[in-house]
Amino acid sequence: MQTERAKRMDSAGEEAPLNSPELPWNQLYLKRRTESRIQLRRRVCFTGPAAAVTGVLAVLILAAGSVSSDSEFVKVPSSVNCTEGQDCILSCTFNYTAGGWDEKSGVIWRQAETDHIVHSYYNNTDQLAGQFPQYVNRTSLFDSELQRGNASLLLRRVREEDAGKYTCFVKGTRLSGSGLTEVVVVPAPPTTAPAHVTVPISVKCTEGQDCILSCTFYYTAGGWDEKSGVIWRRAETDHIVHSYHDNTDQLADQFPQYVNRTSLFDSELQCGNASLLLRRVREEDAGEYRCFVSTPRLSGSALTEVVVVPAQRHHWWGLGAVLLCVIAGLCVSLWLYKNTQVTAGNPTRLLVQHRQCRYQP
């Protein structure tokens, strides 16, 4: 043994490494030693009491993996800015490759402070029986994107009271988890309102006749749906001239001066025409009018002035007098003409009349 050890020493008296190329047998030695250690470990793990402990641990690990809640499974932004009156997407994604997705999976969005249900989805369909009234007809998921890990919520026509914290909870096939995000409601920029609605500076309306007060809005940007509306008001008094929303006229609060005298062109509203038809214009209709239009994504108003022009009054009495004179002249001319014809046709009668007048005692 000492002789072999001595042969493995180099010229400097140091021991050569076991994997030195100078010792070709060393590779076989290392391989056998490694296999021996692996067999020893297998005997320890799968025989005797150690096997039972290892089996129990394996079952617990597998069971925990099937129902575990992973903080990294669901991801949401810390906050999202939503503009008031516009639609907003609350982002929520999950690791669908790890968690899986099937017909028993589901998504629930809740208000974190109150635990109210904002939107619920499972069994491959929306479950909105317990939805909080504030969100009815205003929420939806991207159903076709759920199996790809997209559980984002679309919140329509954001309101001021929508501000707050929201929880996105996702239950997959193998994993479940939740994330917390905050919705910050930002007021709509006031600079967009004037460009949304356009009216002329003034419009001239003839007294006693019908008149159209023009008002158009940018419908391609603002859109139009059943919740959109138009309100015409007198700018000086704020009296309601005409009101329209929910696809019908709302005239309960209409100022009495305009009852049965106003209407919109309903079929033209979705094309951006909010003009007002004012019938039988009166002198007191003169003044400033405001056209306010509210759509799903934009709202705004504009001011126009109505100038009432008096109707042209003809001097009927003068025309009548002239006409009477003409008629009288025609009658006199006709009478004279008849008398002339009678006298010319009977000269004897004219002579007798002359003599009677001459010799009358």
Side-chain angles (χ1 to χ4, degrees):
M1 180 66 68
Q2 292 179 357
T3 303
E4 293 180 358
R5 183 177 181 83
K7 290 180 180 180
R8 286 157 49 188
M9 300 295 293
D10 59 10
S11 59
E14 296 179 353
E15 185 176 5
L18 291 176
N19 58 355
S20 174
E22 298 178 359
L23 301 175
W25 59 270
N26 189 36
Q27 295 180 1
L28 180 61
Y29 170 77
L30 291 175
K31 182 178 180 181
R32 290 178 178 176
R33 187 175 65 175
T34 303
E35 290 177 353
S36 299
R37 290 181 177 178
I38 292 175
Q39 291 177 359
L40 179 61
R41 290 176 181 175
R42 287 177 178 175
R43 293 192 187 98
V44 172
C45 292
F46 294 99
T47 60
V53 175
T54 304
V56 172
L57 289 176
V59 172
L60 290 176
I61 292 173
L62 291 175
S66 62
V67 296
S68 65
S69 178
D70 186 359
S71 60
E72 296 297 324
F73 175 54
V74 176
K75 293 184 179 180
V76 296
S78 58
S79 64
V80 56
N81 290 340
C82 298
T83 303
E84 186 176 6
Q86 300 184 19
D87 297 351
C88 187
I89 295 178
L90 281 57
S91 177
C92 178
T93 59
F94 60 94
N95 189 352
Y96 70 97
T97 56
W101 184 268
D102 61 12
E103 66 279 358
K104 296 299 182 183
S105 303
V107 177
I108 298 180
W109 278 89
R110 293 178 180 270
Q111 281 185 339
E113 300 91 343
T114 61
D115 206 39
H116 290 153
I117 294 178
V118 178
H119 196 96
S120 179
Y121 181 99
Y122 57 88
N123 290 338
N124 285 336
T125 186
D126 293 322
Q127 306 288 342
L128 304 179
Q131 187 181 38
F132 193 60
Q134 176 181 336
Y135 302 98
V136 172
N137 296 325
R138 296 178 55 223
T139 62
S140 64
L141 301 180
F142 303 91
D143 302 3
S144 61
E145 296 292 323
L146 286 170
Q147 58 185 356
R148 298 184 180 91
N150 184 4
S152 301
L153 179 73
L154 174 61
L155 181 59
R156 300 182 182 88
R157 302 180 298 278
V158 173
R159 306 171 183 172
E160 184 178 357
E161 58 267 28
D162 293 334
K165 294 182 177 181
Y166 291 74
T167 300
C168 173
F169 174 80
V170 180
K171 179 185 179 299
T173 308
R174 295 179 295 275
L175 289 175
S176 63
S178 64
L180 187 67
T181 187
E182 183 178 5
V183 171
V184 179
V185 177
V186 180
T191 56
T192 60
H196 180 48
V197 178
T198 304
V199 298
I201 297 176
S202 64
V203 56
K204 291 184 179 180
C205 300
T206 303
E207 186 178 4
Q209 299 184 18
D210 296 350
C211 186
I212 295 178
L213 281 58
S214 177
C215 178
T216 59
F217 60 94
Y218 192 23
Y219 72 96
T220 56
W224 184 269
D225 63 7
E226 66 280 358
K227 295 300 181 181
S228 302
V230 176
I231 298 180
W232 279 88
R233 292 178 180 270
R234 283 295 294 263
E236 306 91 339
T237 60
D238 207 40
H239 290 154
I240 294 178
V241 178
H242 196 96
S243 179
Y244 181 99
H245 59 83
D246 292 331
N247 286 336
T248 185
D249 293 322
Q250 306 289 339
L251 305 178
D253 298 325
Q254 186 181 38
F255 193 61
Q257 175 182 336
Y258 301 98
V259 172
N260 297 326
R261 296 178 56 223
T262 62
S263 64
L264 301 179
F265 303 91
D266 302 4
S267 61
E268 296 291 324
L269 286 170
Q270 58 185 356
C271 299
N273 185 4
S275 301
L276 178 74
L277 175 61
L278 181 60
R279 299 182 181 89
R280 303 179 299 280
V281 173
R282 305 172 184 173
E283 184 178 357
E284 59 267 27
D285 293 334
E288 292 184 331
Y289 290 72
R290 183 174 297 278
C291 174
F292 176 81
V293 181
S294 175
T295 59
R297 294 184 293 275
L298 287 175
S299 62
S301 64
L303 196 66
T304 187
E305 183 181 6
V306 171
V307 179
V308 178
V309 180
Q312 295 182 357
R313 293 181 175 86
H314 300 285
H315 300 289
W316 294 107
W317 61 270
L319 182 61
V322 173
L323 184 60
L324 288 175
C325 290
V326 171
I327 294 173
L330 291 174
C331 292
V332 171
S333 300
L334 182 61
W335 182 79
L336 291 175
Y337 174 77
K338 286 183 177 181
N339 286 341
T340 303
Q341 292 296 323
V342 170
T343 306
N346 194 358
T348 305
R349 182 182 176 184
L350 181 60
L351 179 61
V352 172
Q353 291 179 352
H354 175 70
R355 289 176 178 175
Q356 288 177 352
C357 295
R358 182 177 180 182
Y359 296 103
Q360 185 176 4

